[in-house]
Amino acid sequence: MTSTTHPGDAVVAEAGPAAWRDRKRYLWLLGLFVPTMLFLVLPISWGLNQAGWHTAAQLPLWIGPILIYLLLPALDLWVGVDGHNPPDEAMARLENDKYYRYATYAYIPFQYASVLFGAYLFTASDLGWLGFDGGLGWLGKIGVAFTVGTVGGVGINTAHEMGHKRDELERWLSKITLAQVWYGHFYIEHNRGHHVRVATPEDPASARFGETFWEFLPRTVFGSLRSALRLEAQRIRRLGKNPWNPRTWPGNDVLNAWAMSIVFWGVLVAVFGPALVPLIVIQAIYGFSLLESVNYLEHYGLVRQKRENGRYERCTPQHSWNSDHLVTNLFLYHLQRHSDHHANPTRRYQTLRSMAESPNLPAGYGSLIAVTYFPPVWRKLMDHRVLEHYDGDITRANIHPRVRDRVLARYPAVA
């Protein structure tokens, strides 16, 4: 199955709302493959063990990285782009259909079932029922940790979908989802920080032209953390309270989100023992690094221009890189339709539209995450696209200060 639409093509809005049906309605359930994949690969491991291939039997436990770096890129290439938006007249009905939110809620119990099962596999000394002689070797343990981290990393996107909503239940479910990877502060920083400062030099989650992913990663991790603490302290002060008073801490959305992580992992360490600690660390770092690699590619080099009054122009579809590749969108709840998300942050994923005027990535997020790890490849792929987006005037881009002089010398401003 190959789409005839290509990135950057006009997107079709299907007419006839009375007859219109969301052809992706049940395909959204593919997102549940991620939190269940550790269970789904067990028959493969068992079969390999029965064949006497005991080392190879540990490789299916790497299903998380296999999905991110191999399966999603291959499926995006095979299936192609979506190319269809719902008609305007169907938007309200689609937005209010609770089936779609239940599809995201379902991620959470499977997510934590995978974490618990991963903790068991990581620490078990006897996995004879799976065909192993004793417990897993480090090849299998690290695979489990990375797969659990993948579940948590994709879970951040699920939390992102729920955290934007006004419903109190969804906001708490967002925090619960983030607790696995110790990234509860994302709930604050993304909504009240990133969406305000997006595509500006002040935003720690907007990558700059010429900035490598490895420079961006610590800047966004620590910058977002500082911003979340500052924003929450400001909110508490506006209520006439002291954010440093322990009495206010239960109502501090950063601290109570972190408390969930401490309690959850504290209980698991008590159950499975300190041997679980390497899994806790590996899965958290890998999980939030997946998020940050996506942050890196979503706004790379794009910037909102300052007006004469010193304020930035309004965020438009021109300030986010988009991709309408169908498969990754199904796994990430339309995250790749990023311009519409920034224009309408509370809009539910099923109604997000692909905008033809947005700059388009050459492939889906699933294909590009690995590319971000290799700066020369990334820059060869993307720098000319940034330059073309600004009609050859690189001075209009968000340039990393370290390379600014070199970039301006290489790409003189267009008269």
Short mmCIF file of all heavy atoms in Angstrom, two decimals, residues 111-137:
data_model
loop_
_atom_site.label_atom_id
_atom_site.label_comp_id
_atom_site.label_asym_id
_atom_site.label_seq_id
_atom_site.Cartn_x
_atom_site.Cartn_y
_atom_site.Cartn_z
N GLN A 111 1.01 0.27 29.99
CA GLN A 111 2.32 0.85 30.25
C GLN A 111 2.89 0.33 31.57
O GLN A 111 4.03 -0.15 31.64
CB GLN A 111 2.22 2.38 30.30
CG GLN A 111 3.50 3.08 30.76
CD GLN A 111 3.30 4.57 31.03
OE1 GLN A 111 2.20 5.10 30.84
NE2 GLN A 111 4.34 5.24 31.46
N TYR A 112 2.09 0.42 32.62
CA TYR A 112 2.60 0.02 33.93
C TYR A 112 2.69 -1.49 34.07
O TYR A 112 3.54 -2.00 34.83
CB TYR A 112 1.77 0.67 35.04
CG TYR A 112 2.26 2.09 35.27
CD1 TYR A 112 1.68 3.16 34.62
CD2 TYR A 112 3.37 2.32 36.09
CE1 TYR A 112 2.17 4.44 34.80
CE2 TYR A 112 3.86 3.59 36.27
CZ TYR A 112 3.26 4.65 35.62
OH TYR A 112 3.77 5.92 35.79
N ALA A 113 1.87 -2.23 33.34
CA ALA A 113 2.04 -3.68 33.31
C ALA A 113 3.39 -4.03 32.68
O ALA A 113 4.10 -4.92 33.17
CB ALA A 113 0.90 -4.33 32.51
N SER A 114 3.79 -3.30 31.64
CA SER A 114 5.08 -3.54 31.00
C SER A 114 6.23 -3.19 31.93
O SER A 114 7.25 -3.88 31.97
CB SER A 114 5.21 -2.73 29.71
OG SER A 114 4.40 -3.27 28.70
N VAL A 115 6.08 -2.10 32.68
CA VAL A 115 7.14 -1.71 33.62
C VAL A 115 7.31 -2.79 34.69
O VAL A 115 8.44 -3.19 35.01
CB VAL A 115 6.82 -0.35 34.26
CG1 VAL A 115 7.85 -0.01 35.34
CG2 VAL A 115 6.80 0.75 33.21
N LEU A 116 6.20 -3.25 35.24
CA LEU A 116 6.28 -4.28 36.27
C LEU A 116 6.88 -5.57 35.72
O LEU A 116 7.73 -6.20 36.37
CB LEU A 116 4.88 -4.55 36.84
CG LEU A 116 4.27 -3.42 37.67
CD1 LEU A 116 2.80 -3.71 37.97
CD2 LEU A 116 5.04 -3.22 38.96
N PHE A 117 6.45 -5.95 34.52
CA PHE A 117 6.97 -7.17 33.93
C PHE A 117 8.45 -7.00 33.57
O PHE A 117 9.26 -7.93 33.73
CB PHE A 117 6.17 -7.54 32.69
CG PHE A 117 6.53 -8.88 32.12
CD1 PHE A 117 6.38 -10.04 32.86
CD2 PHE A 117 7.02 -8.99 30.83
CE1 PHE A 117 6.71 -11.28 32.34
CE2 PHE A 117 7.36 -10.21 30.29
CZ PHE A 117 7.20 -11.37 31.05
N GLY A 118 8.81 -5.82 33.10
CA GLY A 118 10.21 -5.54 32.80
C GLY A 118 11.07 -5.61 34.05
O GLY A 118 12.20 -6.14 34.01
N ALA A 119 10.56 -5.11 35.17
CA ALA A 119 11.29 -5.18 36.43
C ALA A 119 11.50 -6.64 36.84
O ALA A 119 12.58 -7.02 37.33
CB ALA A 119 10.54 -4.42 37.51
N TYR A 120 10.48 -7.45 36.63
CA TYR A 120 10.59 -8.88 36.94
C TYR A 120 11.66 -9.54 36.05
O TYR A 120 12.54 -10.26 36.55
CB TYR A 120 9.24 -9.55 36.76
CG TYR A 120 9.32 -11.05 36.60
CD1 TYR A 120 9.66 -11.87 37.69
CD2 TYR A 120 9.08 -11.65 35.36
CE1 TYR A 120 9.76 -13.26 37.53
CE2 TYR A 120 9.16 -13.01 35.20
CZ TYR A 120 9.51 -13.82 36.29
OH TYR A 120 9.61 -15.18 36.13
N LEU A 121 11.59 -9.32 34.74
CA LEU A 121 12.56 -9.93 33.83
C LEU A 121 13.98 -9.49 34.15
O LEU A 121 14.92 -10.28 34.08
CB LEU A 121 12.23 -9.56 32.38
CG LEU A 121 10.98 -10.16 31.75
CD1 LEU A 121 10.77 -9.60 30.34
CD2 LEU A 121 11.07 -11.69 31.70
N PHE A 122 14.14 -8.23 34.50
CA PHE A 122 15.46 -7.66 34.76
C PHE A 122 16.11 -8.28 35.99
O PHE A 122 17.34 -8.45 36.05
CB PHE A 122 15.34 -6.14 34.94
CG PHE A 122 16.64 -5.41 34.84
CD1 PHE A 122 17.13 -4.96 33.64
CD2 PHE A 122 17.38 -5.14 35.99
CE1 PHE A 122 18.34 -4.27 33.56
CE2 PHE A 122 18.58 -4.45 35.93
CZ PHE A 122 19.06 -4.02 34.70
N THR A 123 15.31 -8.61 36.99
CA THR A 123 15.86 -9.07 38.27
C THR A 123 15.69 -10.56 38.52
O THR A 123 16.31 -11.10 39.46
CB THR A 123 15.20 -8.30 39.43
OG1 THR A 123 13.77 -8.50 39.37
CG2 THR A 123 15.49 -6.81 39.34
N ALA A 124 14.89 -11.25 37.73
CA ALA A 124 14.60 -12.67 38.00
C ALA A 124 15.86 -13.52 37.86
O ALA A 124 16.66 -13.33 36.93
CB ALA A 124 13.51 -13.18 37.05
N SER A 125 16.03 -14.47 38.76
CA SER A 125 17.18 -15.37 38.70
C SER A 125 16.83 -16.70 38.03
O SER A 125 17.72 -17.50 37.75
CB SER A 125 17.70 -15.64 40.12
OG SER A 125 16.67 -16.19 40.93
N ASP A 126 15.54 -16.94 37.79
CA ASP A 126 15.12 -18.19 37.16
C ASP A 126 14.02 -17.91 36.14
O ASP A 126 12.87 -17.68 36.51
CB ASP A 126 14.62 -19.18 38.21
CG ASP A 126 14.23 -20.54 37.60
OD1 ASP A 126 14.48 -20.73 36.39
OD2 ASP A 126 13.68 -21.37 38.33
N LEU A 127 14.39 -17.93 34.88
CA LEU A 127 13.43 -17.74 33.79
C LEU A 127 13.32 -19.01 32.96
O LEU A 127 13.21 -18.99 31.74
CB LEU A 127 13.86 -16.56 32.90
CG LEU A 127 13.79 -15.17 33.54
CD1 LEU A 127 14.38 -14.12 32.61
CD2 LEU A 127 12.35 -14.81 33.90
N GLY A 128 13.32 -20.14 33.69
CA GLY A 128 13.23 -21.42 33.02
C GLY A 128 11.96 -21.57 32.20
O GLY A 128 11.96 -22.25 31.16
N TRP A 129 10.86 -20.96 32.63
CA TRP A 129 9.61 -21.05 31.89
C TRP A 129 9.71 -20.41 30.51
O TRP A 129 8.96 -20.74 29.60
CB TRP A 129 8.48 -20.38 32.68
CG TRP A 129 8.70 -18.91 32.93
CD1 TRP A 129 9.38 -18.33 33.95
CD2 TRP A 129 8.24 -17.83 32.10
NE1 TRP A 129 9.38 -16.97 33.84
CE2 TRP A 129 8.68 -16.63 32.70
CE3 TRP A 129 7.50 -17.76 30.92
CZ2 TRP A 129 8.40 -15.38 32.17
CZ3 TRP A 129 7.23 -16.51 30.38
CH2 TRP A 129 7.67 -15.34 31.00
N LEU A 130 10.71 -19.51 30.35
CA LEU A 130 10.93 -18.86 29.07
C LEU A 130 12.05 -19.53 28.28
O LEU A 130 12.37 -19.13 27.16
CB LEU A 130 11.25 -17.37 29.30
CG LEU A 130 11.15 -16.39 28.15
CD1 LEU A 130 9.81 -16.49 27.44
CD2 LEU A 130 11.40 -14.96 28.64
N GLY A 131 12.62 -20.57 28.90
CA GLY A 131 13.66 -21.32 28.22
C GLY A 131 15.08 -20.91 28.54
O GLY A 131 16.03 -21.48 28.00
N PHE A 132 15.25 -19.93 29.43
CA PHE A 132 16.59 -19.50 29.80
C PHE A 132 17.12 -20.34 30.96
O PHE A 132 16.35 -20.76 31.83
CB PHE A 132 16.60 -18.01 30.21
CG PHE A 132 16.34 -17.06 29.07
CD1 PHE A 132 15.12 -16.41 28.94
CD2 PHE A 132 17.33 -16.82 28.13
CE1 PHE A 132 14.88 -15.54 27.90
CE2 PHE A 132 17.10 -15.93 27.08
CZ PHE A 132 15.88 -15.31 26.96
N ASP A 133 18.40 -20.55 30.97
CA ASP A 133 19.05 -21.25 32.07
C ASP A 133 19.44 -20.21 33.11
O ASP A 133 20.49 -19.59 33.03
CB ASP A 133 20.29 -22.01 31.57
CG ASP A 133 20.95 -22.82 32.67
OD1 ASP A 133 20.30 -23.02 33.73
OD2 ASP A 133 22.11 -23.24 32.48
N GLY A 134 18.57 -19.99 34.07
CA GLY A 134 18.79 -18.92 35.05
C GLY A 134 18.11 -17.64 34.59
O GLY A 134 17.06 -17.66 33.94
N GLY A 135 18.73 -16.51 34.94
CA GLY A 135 18.17 -15.22 34.56
C GLY A 135 18.75 -14.72 33.23
O GLY A 135 19.51 -15.42 32.56
N LEU A 136 18.37 -13.52 32.88
CA LEU A 136 18.89 -12.91 31.65
C LEU A 136 20.34 -12.50 31.82
O LEU A 136 20.77 -12.11 32.91
CB LEU A 136 18.06 -11.67 31.29
CG LEU A 136 16.60 -11.87 30.87
CD1 LEU A 136 15.94 -10.50 30.67
CD2 LEU A 136 16.51 -12.71 29.61
N GLY A 137 21.10 -12.55 30.73
CA GLY A 137 22.41 -11.93 30.71
C GLY A 137 22.25 -10.43 30.49
O GLY A 137 21.14 -9.92 30.26
#
